[in-house]
Amino acid sequence: MQHDMKDIATRMRVDIIEMLAAAGSGHPGGSLSACDILAVLYFDKMRIDPADPKDPDRDRLVLAKGHAAPALYAALAEKGFFPREDLVTLRKSNSHLQGHPSMSTTPGVEMSTGSLGQGLSVANGMALAGRLDDRDYYVYCIMGDGEIQEGQVWEAAMSAAHYGLDHVIAFVDHNRLQIDGDNDEVMTVNPIDEKFHAFGWNVLTIDGHDYEAIGRAIEEAKATKGRPTVIVAETVKGKGVSFMENQVEWHGVAPTAVQAQEALAELGAQ
Amino acid sequence: MNTATREAFGKALAELGAIDRDIVSLDADLSCTTKSATFAQAFPDRFFNMGIAEADLMATAAGLATCGKIPFASTFAVFAACRALDQIRNSICYPGLNVKVVGTHAGPSCGEDGGSHQAVEDIAVMRSLPNMVVVVPADDVEAEAVVRAAAEHVGPMYLRFARLASPTVHEEGYEFDLFRGEVMRDGADVAIIACGMMVPRALDAARQLADEGVSARVVNMHTVKPIDEELVVRCARECGRIVTIEEASYVGGLGSAVCEVVADRCPVPVKRIGMPDCFGKSGLGAGLLDEFGLSAEHIVEVVRAL
């Protein structure tokens, strides 16, 4: 599994670089940091079938940090929701691949996101619907660490715990950087684990680039009854492309053609 | 009979809940006064109190809608339109989700709570959102019909209800058409286009004008968006003058919607009556309406001066 997952995640990273270079804009840093989590979800853990995309029993994923859309699109294309050739149309005016995920245009996208802080509430709503209908699907929500500065995240954290939504499994992609700099310089978010714990959540902290650890955490979350789980994934912004790693400058800038070649060569060697 | 449209909302929603199991209700700690509590009592498993958290309320409703539920998310109009606007925009209207946003206690008739609680901008704000349908029922009979129509219409909708009881102007069994305005009284000299609890006042004004020999048509434009353009154009052509009245700011609401149609398709003089460009204040709801010029007498004066 490790080997396959590494291959898949590397292909997704290649796609992300190619997409962003073709688009000339977008967010590489947070796409690359969330890539391994998405790979494990889409290619190991999530119950989804591109041939039956509206199956009411399917697992759902809300990419609350919508600016990581390239990583989601790479996973969806790899999974077969739409042709891989579509990827290079990202952010173009005739493309179904919007700059931030749009459920109205892109097959496999479960929720339109982009304005930060709303995804966890949406995930809660999906989980409440599943409970009402006696369905057993899980709802995954991927948040950014900067995103949890939004007050609504804590409204949603409160309500997920209040309603005991044990089918909500949230991730915080803790890459420690946001547009204006280090999280804690911009606005202190730490300690993330203690905050969620105080709100009544089951909290797990893992290495967000360790496929085995991601998988184990998801299984542990599923085994936890009566409360939601948040997995604080310690990640590296720009992971996999050495000159992007831990560099805040790569939050929202696309690589030039030359930089993209350099990044692809590095990924190809992996 | 004098009943507040919010009362009719609670009753109609509870009735619908018995018929359609996909209907769910969410509120933000105001269910006793928005009247979603009527539904909550009947169907506690399908009611979700989200606490005092309107942003979470709206986006949770969006999540429920993605799974085929028909959520009615209720709170005061001012909190829906202003505090939760981003959630209504990005999580409901942008993906076109089937959420019914219910705003009660709209307008100055909300009364004693004062300007902080009296939505004056909600019609304008909601009307500007792509995909949104905006409905302001005139009385309790129409409010019940609007709730039923909301459950049938697939897509985002804003339902505006009032705190204050107001006169019933529709017979039971009135056939409501969501996308067609209603001519409640015919007339040829001027058309008074109203919505919400201004409709009975417009009818009063028309009766007073009739005594003066002025034949006023009264239109109940319950659906402000998409507005019944053909009816507006017909009013412009056949009456030549239009007065609009709404219990909201005269900036951007029903009056503006009518002006847009008239300017595009059949320019005639239009006079808009609404809250002047100001916030409300504490006082008795009915008294405040008169004070802000939202009265039959003011309509008559405006028509005379046209």
Side-chain angles (χ1 to χ4, degrees):
Chain A
M1 190 270 263
Q2 280 286 31
H3 182 68
D4 287 353
M5 208 50 72
K6 172 86 180 160
D7 288 349
I8 290 168
T10 301
R11 275 205 298 281
M12 286 171 59
R13 288 192 162 89
V14 167
D15 286 341
I16 290 167
I17 297 301
E18 288 179 341
M19 257 186 274
L20 289 169
S25 68
H27 301 82
S31 297
L32 292 167
S33 65
C35 201
D36 297 313
I37 298 166
L38 285 165
V40 172
L41 283 169
Y42 275 94
F43 298 96
D44 184 23
K45 295 301 178 188
M46 276 173 68
R47 183 171 50 185
I48 46 162
D49 178 5
D52 188 10
K54 296 293 169 194
D55 175 5
D57 289 312
R58 72 193 184 280
D59 290 337
R60 274 90 168 155
L61 182 135
V62 178
L63 186 68
K65 47 172 290 185
H67 53 282
L72 176 62
Y73 297 156
L76 292 173
E78 179 81 20
K79 193 80 186 170
F81 279 94
F82 52 82
R84 297 181 60 83
E85 304 82 72
D86 292 3
L87 290 175
V88 290
T89 67
L90 172 72
R91 289 175 170 249
K92 301 278 196 318
S93 69
N94 58 351
S95 175
H96 67 85
L97 298 173
Q98 297 297 295
H100 293 79
S102 166
M103 66 182 290
S104 337
T105 58
T106 304
V109 170
E110 295 285 359
M111 182 62 197
S112 304
T113 51
S115 177
L116 294 172
Q118 303 187 22
L120 186 57
S121 302
V122 173
N124 291 345
M126 292 173 172
L128 286 170
R131 178 184 289 179
L132 282 173
D133 290 342
D134 285 326
R135 299 191 190 279
D136 197 35
Y137 60 75
Y138 286 88
V139 187
Y140 298 94
C141 177
I142 310 214
M143 292 182 281
D145 48 7
E147 178 179 14
I148 66 173
Q149 290 160 355
E150 290 280 5
Q152 186 184 347
V153 168
W154 302 101
E155 295 182 4
M158 214 182 309
S159 52
H162 178 82
Y163 284 107
L165 298 179
D166 51 20
H167 279 46
V168 168
I169 300 175
F171 284 85
V172 176
D173 179 11
H174 193 16
N175 62 34
R176 296 171 188 276
L177 294 172
Q178 59 192 101
I179 300 181
D180 274 354
D182 289 3
N183 294 151
D184 286 353
E185 279 172 25
V186 176
M187 178 52 63
T188 305
V189 295
N190 286 306
I192 297 173
D193 53 350
E194 287 178 32
K195 283 175 177 149
F196 275 97
H197 190 260
F199 275 71
W201 286 58
N202 177 41
V203 184
L204 305 170
T205 300
I206 60 163
D207 172 350
H209 301 302
D210 176 338
Y211 308 113
E212 292 285 355
I214 298 166
R216 268 199 314 276
I218 292 168
E219 289 311 315
E220 200 176 326
K222 287 184 176 178
T224 301
K225 303 299 175 198
R227 58 195 173 129
T229 292
V230 61
I231 299 167
V232 181
E234 300 294 348
T235 58
V236 172
K237 196 147 185 165
K239 174 73 175 178
V241 177
S242 58
F243 60 90
M244 290 183 176
E245 287 189 357
N246 292 313
Q247 300 300 311
V248 73
E249 295 73 21
W250 287 101
H251 172 89
V253 178
T256 62
V258 172
Q259 289 166 327
Q261 284 311 315
E262 201 180 322
L264 292 173
E266 213 180 287
L267 288 164
Q270 284 179 12
Chain B
M1 194 176 72
N2 281 357
T3 307
T5 49
R6 67 187 163 115
E7 299 274 1
F9 155 64
K11 174 171 171 274
L13 192 63
E15 285 168 5
L16 270 179
I19 299 164
D20 189 342
R21 287 200 53 79
D22 281 332
I23 289 179
V24 297
S25 162
L26 302 91
D27 207 295
D29 194 39
L30 290 168
S31 64
C32 294
T33 186
T34 64
K35 300 302 174 186
S36 64
T38 314
F39 180 95
Q41 280 152 17
F43 307 103
D45 58 325
R46 280 188 273 150
F47 172 76
F48 304 105
N49 203 327
M50 304 311 296
I52 307 166
E54 293 78 12
D56 192 38
L57 166 79
M58 295 303 171
T60 305
L64 280 152
T66 65
C67 300
K69 299 297 167 194
I70 307 171
F72 282 71
S74 46
T75 180
F76 285 0
V78 71
F79 305 138
C82 300
R83 190 170 195 122
L85 176 59
D86 186 29
Q87 288 70 26
I88 293 171
R89 181 194 191 277
N90 280 304
S91 287
I92 296 174
C93 290
Y94 178 53
L97 289 171
N98 194 22
V99 176
K100 313 306 163 184
V101 176
V102 177
T104 68
H105 296 62
S109 69
C110 159
E112 294 87 334
D113 279 350
S116 61
H117 281 53
Q118 297 166 358
V120 295
E121 61 287 272
D122 59 321
I123 299 178
V125 165
M126 294 294 182
R127 197 171 77 85
S128 68
L129 295 171
N131 290 337
M132 188 63 116
V133 170
V134 179
V135 193
V136 189
D139 63 7
D140 56 320
V141 173
E142 190 168 69
E144 288 187 33
V146 165
V147 173
R148 289 191 291 269
E152 278 174 26
H153 172 81
V154 179
M157 192 184 290
Y158 177 61
L159 290 73
R160 184 186 213 243
F161 298 120
R163 172 186 179 222
L164 192 68
S166 61
T168 301
V169 291
H170 290 99
E171 304 280 332
E172 286 292 339
Y174 149 63
E175 270 195 35
F176 175 75
D177 183 340
L178 180 60
F179 297 115
R180 292 282 165 268
E182 180 198 14
V183 179
M184 298 201 70
R185 180 186 170 109
D186 211 359
D189 298 331
V190 62
I192 305 170
I193 301 179
C195 65
M197 67 166 70
M198 294 300 106
V199 171
R201 285 158 198 255
L203 288 166
D204 278 350
R207 280 187 286 269
Q208 291 179 38
L209 287 164
D211 293 341
E212 300 176 16
V214 176
S215 160
R217 178 182 296 182
V218 176
V219 170
N220 166 26
M221 196 61 84
H222 46 72
T223 301
V224 179
K225 186 191 177 187
I227 196 163
D228 184 347
E229 285 203 23
E230 298 313 315
L231 181 54
V232 173
V233 170
R234 223 161 63 229
C235 289
R237 283 214 182 99
E238 293 169 3
C239 303
R241 299 179 297 172
I242 294 175
V243 172
T244 67
I245 181 159
E246 63 204 294
E247 196 209 349
S249 170
Y250 82 143
V251 177
L254 171 67
S256 298
V258 167
C259 285
E260 289 159 15
V261 176
V262 167
D264 283 350
R265 298 187 52 188
C266 185
V268 297
V270 179
K271 187 76 189 169
R272 291 167 296 137
I273 305 175
M275 282 280 286
D277 186 19
C278 68
F279 291 105
K281 61 176 188 176
S282 287
L284 288 175
L288 288 174
L289 292 178
D290 292 339
E291 208 175 310
F292 286 117
L294 303 171
S295 63
E297 290 65 31
H298 189 215
I299 298 172
V300 170
E301 284 168 27
V302 167
V303 171
R304 281 192 198 125
L306 254 180

